[in-house]
């Protein structure tokens, strides 16, 4: 968008004296081109002032608030300028070198924020000292409202992706091909892209279009690895140690320097290595505070398959759980030192798919993701609770986007290239959807976007490093990369508190009261759960005891032993004890056993009493029978001569019975009251005298004899004792 200077010119003219105005008017009348000339003059003045302002900003790094000066256009908004300067040439390298010197800041100095001219001092944001020790709010771990690139207020729970650009040095091939530099870094954050014009193209030479982009920081080709790390990642690491998630990913065309930035070389290690070293040194510093556990995993996405780089094997499946997207079965190594991690990293890199292409000798054909999980545990002295924070740092080296012609035409390479491009396209679709605030973000379009879901749209502090080549030969790719990087700045991230298992200490009394109430409620629920479990256990135990202690008592015995009125109360007692939630303890076991024994004792007693009663009945009936026999024998005195002996013997037996039963009279009377003896007597008479009676033969025949003969043995059971028989007889 071209910059309109019309209004500013007017303002400037208004400020001049009346005298000058009159002179101008006279001149205007004399010279018709005077207006144009003046406009040009003002433009030059504006340009001069702009230059002055930017240099004064460099020196002071303060916001420009000079009323008399012309207001600077908001640099955070991307605009296209038609610059009155020569097209970039190789000589620019000298200029860049100067800019690079400006970038050579100490490791603790953060430069190049998205809105440096609007110095913000938020209380809760992390403050980073810059050259003039002014405080600039970083948005990596913001809890307070932050400002976007355009200086607009972000929501309370929002943050945005930090975007950085790094230009690599021109390589030998590019130099030999006579390519020009098409990138200029200004003010350590602004990127000017200028389309190269042929030196012989005189028509276009002075009309070269440039595009201006602003990022959180931009690095020239001479920026050191340490500088890149401290500006982009060190603060993010700090947040990870606080329990937040963070991710850093490099994006760019093939051969643009992504792997160099992330991994680096032995002499100049990259972000991954520096982050690991820094992590362990920070952990060492904090070791007295609590214990830290570091877990490490390393995977790659190659041709849309996820592979474990530390333990190569079958492709891994992506699953979504509470933590987000995870690769099922991914090896997690517990590392205790930076050296250990380095060894693992080296091992993983050996397994990573790299192939030489025309664009890059060591081209990464896969997206690599190194994940470092940091668990921090400490006992809070005040609350005596364990603070447990888990932060995760994801360091991602993406494969480079490429044109088919830029790489080999061999089948596998082109297939790889197609897959890389597809996943990067999916990434750009997600970026677009996120920027546009769409509800549906197409993460599922590729494995890469699935894995980056948390980094792009989740509660994660994210850093994007866009790597570009300075060569005019790669202008298209560079433009594309810068465009997407510029777009990514717009992505709003959710801000969440650190993942803590511990309950944070409430600050106010009301909060404390609330916390107490919540804890009490939780406690109650837990108690109820426990009681339910105990009840279940007790029921099972009671059932087991019942089956173990004895075979189920006969129902008759049970009815006999337990008074009917007592039975339900017994059951009630057992139930109530269950409800009371009696614990399944040795005591309860003992009680159960005692109860079973008592039940058994009662059963035995009842059975004994029954036997006793039956015995008495039996004896009584036997006696009645004997009496009857005696009576009959006395009545038939005349026949005594023949049967006298029998009667004598029966009487002897009856007298014997009398001797055996001293309380005979009492029992007799008792039995008369209780037992159906009289009827039995009558019937027994019928039994004996009637021919129909089954006992006639018994008495008169063989049975009587046998009865006499079998005198010494126990008497046979009386038929009278059979209950059904008496009724049968009565009916007949
Ligand atoms: N900042 C830099 N300083 C010095 N050399 C660099 C820099 N950036 C990149 N290089 C060199 O450029 C070459 C290509 O870089 P690199 O392999 O990192 O590219 P890439 O973006 O990872 O490519 P691909 O996507 O194909 O893997 C390497 O030889 C690397 O050493």
């Amino acid at each position: 968008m071209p910059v309109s200077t019309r209004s500013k010119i007017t303002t400037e003219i208004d400020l001049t004296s009346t005298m000058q105005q009159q002179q101008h008017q006279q001149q205007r009348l004399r010279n018709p081109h005077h207006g144009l000339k003046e406009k040009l003059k003002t433009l030059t003045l504006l340009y001069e002032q702009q230059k002055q302002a930017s240099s004064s900003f460099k020196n002071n790094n303060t916001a420009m608030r000079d009323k008399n000066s012309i207001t600077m256009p908001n640099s955070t908004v991307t605009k296209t300028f038609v610059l009155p300067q020569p097209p970039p040439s190789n000589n620019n390298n000298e200029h860049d070198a100067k800019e690079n010197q400006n970038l050579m800041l100490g490791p603790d100095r953060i430069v190049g924020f998205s809105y440096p001219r609007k110095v913000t001092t938020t209380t809760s944001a992390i403050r980073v000292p810059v050259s003039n020790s002014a405080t600039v709010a970083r948005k990596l771990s913001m809890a307070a409202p932050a400002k976007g690139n355009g200086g607009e207020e972000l929501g309370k729970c929002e943050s945005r992706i930090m975007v950085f650009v790094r230009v690599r040095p021109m390589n030998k091939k590019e130099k030999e091909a006579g390519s020009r530099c098409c990138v200029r870094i200004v003010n350590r954050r602004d990127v000017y892209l200028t389309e190269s014009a042929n030196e012989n193209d005189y028509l276009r030479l002075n009309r070269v279009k440039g595009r201006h982009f602003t990022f959180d920081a931009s690095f020239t080709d001479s920026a050191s690895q340490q500088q890149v790390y401290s500006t982009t990642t060190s603060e993010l690491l700090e947040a990870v140690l606080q329990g937040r998630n963070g991710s850093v990913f490099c994006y760019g065309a093939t051969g643009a320097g992504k792997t160099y930035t992330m991994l680096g070389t032995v002499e100049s290690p990259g972000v991954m290595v520096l982050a690991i070293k820094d992590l362990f040194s920070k952990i060492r510093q904090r070791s007295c505070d609590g214990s830290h556990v570091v877990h490490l995993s390393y995977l790659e996405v190659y041709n849309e398959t996820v592979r474990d780089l530390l333990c190569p094997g079958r492709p891994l499946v992506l699953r979504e759980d509470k933590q987000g997207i995870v690769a099922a079965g991914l090896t997690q190594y517990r590392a205790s030192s930076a050296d250990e991690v380095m060894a693992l990293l080296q091992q993983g890199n050996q397994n990573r798919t790299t192939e030489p292409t025309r664009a890059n000798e060591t081209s990464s054909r896969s997206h690599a993701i190194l994940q470092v999980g940091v668990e921090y545990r400490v006992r809070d002295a005040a609350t005596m609770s364990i603070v447990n924070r888990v932060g995760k740092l994801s360091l991602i080296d993406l494969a480079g986007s490429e044109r088919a012609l830029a790489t080999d035409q061999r089948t596998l390479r082109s297939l790889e290239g197609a897959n890389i491009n597809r996943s990067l396209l999916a990434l750009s679709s997600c970026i677009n959807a996120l920027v546009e605030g769409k509800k549906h973000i197409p993460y599922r379009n590729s494995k890469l976007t699935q894995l980056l879901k948390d980094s792009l749209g989740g509660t994660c502090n994210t850093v994007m490093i866009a790597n570009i080549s300075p060569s005019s030969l790669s202008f298209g790719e560079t433009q594309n990369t810068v465009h997407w990087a510029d777009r990514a700045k717009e992505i709003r991230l959710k801000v969440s508190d650190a993942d803590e298992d511990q309950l944070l200490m409430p600050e106010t009394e009301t909060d404390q009261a609330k916390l107490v109430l919540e804890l009490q409620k939780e406690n109650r629920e837990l108690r109820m759960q426990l009681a339910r479990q105990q009840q279940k256990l007790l029921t099972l135990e009671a059932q087991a005891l019942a089956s173990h202690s004895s075979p189920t008592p006969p129902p008759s015995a049970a009815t006999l032993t337990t008074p009917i009125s007592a039975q339900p109360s017994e059951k009630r007692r057992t139930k109530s004890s269950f409800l009371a939630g009696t614990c399944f303890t040795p005591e309860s076991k003992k009680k159960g056993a005692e109860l079973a024994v008592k039940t058994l004792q009662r059963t035995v007693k009842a059975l004994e009493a029954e036997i006793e009663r039956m015995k008495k009945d039996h004896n009584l009936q036997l006696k009645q029978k004997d009496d009857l026999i005696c009576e009959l024998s006395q009545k038939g005195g005349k026949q005594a001569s023949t049967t006298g002996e029998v009667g004598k013997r029966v009487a002897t037996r009856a007298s014997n019975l009398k001797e055996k039963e001293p309380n005979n009279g009492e029992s007799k009377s008792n039995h008369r009251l209780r037992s159906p003896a009289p009827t039995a007597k009558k019937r027994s008479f019928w039994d004996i005298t009637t021919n129909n009676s089954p006992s006639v033969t018994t008495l008169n025949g063989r049975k009587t004899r046998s009865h006499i003969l079998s005198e010494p043995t126990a008497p046979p059971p009386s038929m009278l004792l059979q209950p059904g028989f008496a009724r049968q007889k009565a009916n007949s």
Side-chain angles (χ1 to χ4, degrees), residues 644-664:
E645 225 175 293
V646 175
K648 208 176 177 181
R649 281 188 187 179
V650 171
T652 313
R653 192 188 172 279
S655 62
N656 283 345
L657 274 170
K658 271 179 195 170
E659 277 169 25
K660 277 177 193 170
E661 288 177 4
N663 300 325
N664 196 19

Side-chain angles (χ1 to χ4, degrees), residues 207-227:
R207 297 198 299 118
V208 172
K209 268 189 183 177
R211 259 201 104 179
H212 168 225
F213 299 87
T214 299
F215 297 99
D216 293 288
S218 299
F219 304 97
T220 59
D221 56 2
S222 57
S224 71
Q225 297 276 59
Q226 182 61 48
Q227 218 175 318

Side-chain angles (χ1 to χ4, degrees), residues 96-105 188 220 222 227:
D96 290 346
K98 277 182 194 170
E99 290 287 347
N100 296 344
Q101 278 171 6
N102 290 332
L103 257 173
M104 298 296 233
L105 299 171
R188 302 170 215 146
T220 59
S222 57
Q227 218 175 318

Side-chain angles (χ1 to χ4, degrees), residues 502-626:
Q502 184 239 14
L503 284 157
L504 290 170
M505 271 307 289
E507 282 168 12
T508 61
E509 276 183 23
T510 344
D511 287 348
Q512 268 178 354
K514 266 186 200 169
L515 181 66
V516 167
L517 279 173
E518 267 176 37
L519 285 172
Q520 279 174 345
K521 195 181 160 193
E522 202 180 308
N523 213 358
R524 262 199 308 277
E525 277 167 11
L526 285 170
R527 270 173 200 279
M528 274 166 74
Q529 269 180 27
L530 191 71
R532 275 197 290 272
Q533 293 298 326
Q534 281 173 352
Q535 193 177 329
K536 270 185 196 169
L537 258 173
L538 213 63
T539 317
L540 285 170
E541 176 64 13
Q543 281 171 359
L545 258 174
S547 61
H548 273 238
S549 60
S550 70
T552 321
S556 57
T559 4
L560 285 164
T561 50
T562 320
I564 294 162
S565 58
Q567 280 176 29
S569 70
E570 191 76 43
K571 276 179 193 168
R572 269 201 299 277
R573 227 178 297 144
T574 332
K575 270 187 184 172
S576 65
S577 71
F578 285 155
L579 284 172
T582 323
C583 291
F584 181 55
T585 56
E587 265 183 42
S588 70
K589 267 187 179 179
K590 206 177 157 188
K591 271 184 187 173
E594 278 172 7
L595 192 77
V597 169
K598 272 182 188 169
T599 317
L600 275 172
Q601 279 173 349
R602 272 199 293 270
T603 315
V604 170
K605 265 185 191 172
L607 281 168
E608 278 174 353
E610 180 71 0
I611 290 166
E612 197 61 34
R613 198 176 59 79
M614 282 166 78
K615 233 183 193 176
K616 278 178 184 171
D617 278 351
H618 178 81
N619 287 335
L620 178 72
Q621 282 164 16
L622 204 64
K623 192 172 177 304
Q624 282 172 351
K625 200 179 165 185
D626 283 348

Side-chain angles (χ1 to χ4, degrees), residues 166-169 221 223 252-261 265 357 360 362-365 397-402 467:
R166 186 183 196 184
V167 187
R168 70 156 167 78
D221 56 2
T254 181
K258 298 181 294 296
T259 310
Y260 182 84
T261 303
T265 57
T357 62
N360 186 3
T362 50
S363 179
S364 320
R365 313 308 294 157
D397 175 21
L398 297 180
S401 59
E402 56 199 45
N467 290 88

